């Protein structure tokens, strides 16, 4: 997507932001899953959790794509979904932050009525 | 497997025994699943439950096969696995009970060292 140069310091910031977001996303799924498992009363409610886990795992695999060429888009999605606070990206170059914000504004525009 | 005749009364006994065994098997899986879900600490422990549920659901689908031609073998397996007490089958004809016991003895023989 982008042929940006990432300094060693930027890679460290990116990796840390990515991992914090991943941990947050996984913790959210874990909490939701445990609540659903505890609340299941019937076999069909229990079997439905197989599909729930499969979908959540796929979403995680798709969203958390740590390729530098994809990271600006990945970070924009994570901010939009509430998994990442933009302040975690402090230390990235202005051009990268600009690209991320640009994605974000296009996402909000496309989700508006 | 067998071309046995099932009277209306036998069908009622068989259906009831089958349902009691199915309920017991599902309750056992539900209890184990809830304990595993509650105990999961990591994402990989949580994702492993997707596979756990898939395997258990397949086992249930395979074991609980309510075709009259299969029932003697199905009942023998359910007794062996502790999901069914043989007394639940009281009311079936002697030839059916004999076939079920025959399966059971062959199962125990084949599982002995």
């Amino acid at each position: 997507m982008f042929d940006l140069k990432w300094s060693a310091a930027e890679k460290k910031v990116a990796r840390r932001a990515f991992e914090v977001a991943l941990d947050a996303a996984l913790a959210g799924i874990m909490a939701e899953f445990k609540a659903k498992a505890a609340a299941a009363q019937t076999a069909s409610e229990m079997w439905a959790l197989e599909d729930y886990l499969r979908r959540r795992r796929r979403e995680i695999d798709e969203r958390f794509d740590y390729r530098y060429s994809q990271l600006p888009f990945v970070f924009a999605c994570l901010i939009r979904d509430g998994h990442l606070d933009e302040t975690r990206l402090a230390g990235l170059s202005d051009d990268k932050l600009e690209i991320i914000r640009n994605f974000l504004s296009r996402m909000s525009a496309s989700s508006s009525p």
Side-chain angles (χ1 to χ4, degrees), chain A residues 29-40 49:
Chain A
I29 293 169
M30 179 86 87
E32 189 179 55
F33 168 70
K34 283 181 181 246
K36 283 177 182 286
L49 291 175

Side-chain angles (χ1 to χ4, degrees), chain A residues 59-78:
Chain A
E59 282 170 14
I60 290 286
D61 288 346
E62 284 166 12
R63 288 181 189 178
F64 287 83
D65 179 359
Y66 197 82
R67 286 177 293 172
Y68 290 110
S69 62
Q70 304 300 314
L71 273 187
F73 183 66
V74 168
F75 283 144
C77 292
L78 296 179

Side-chain angles (χ1 to χ4, degrees), chain A residues 40-57:
Chain A
Q41 295 283 334
T42 64
S44 61
E45 285 169 359
M46 175 173 65
W47 301 141
L49 291 175
E50 179 194 332
D51 188 51
Y52 170 85
L53 286 173
R54 182 171 49 248
R55 282 184 285 111
R56 290 293 170 275
R57 193 166 47 79

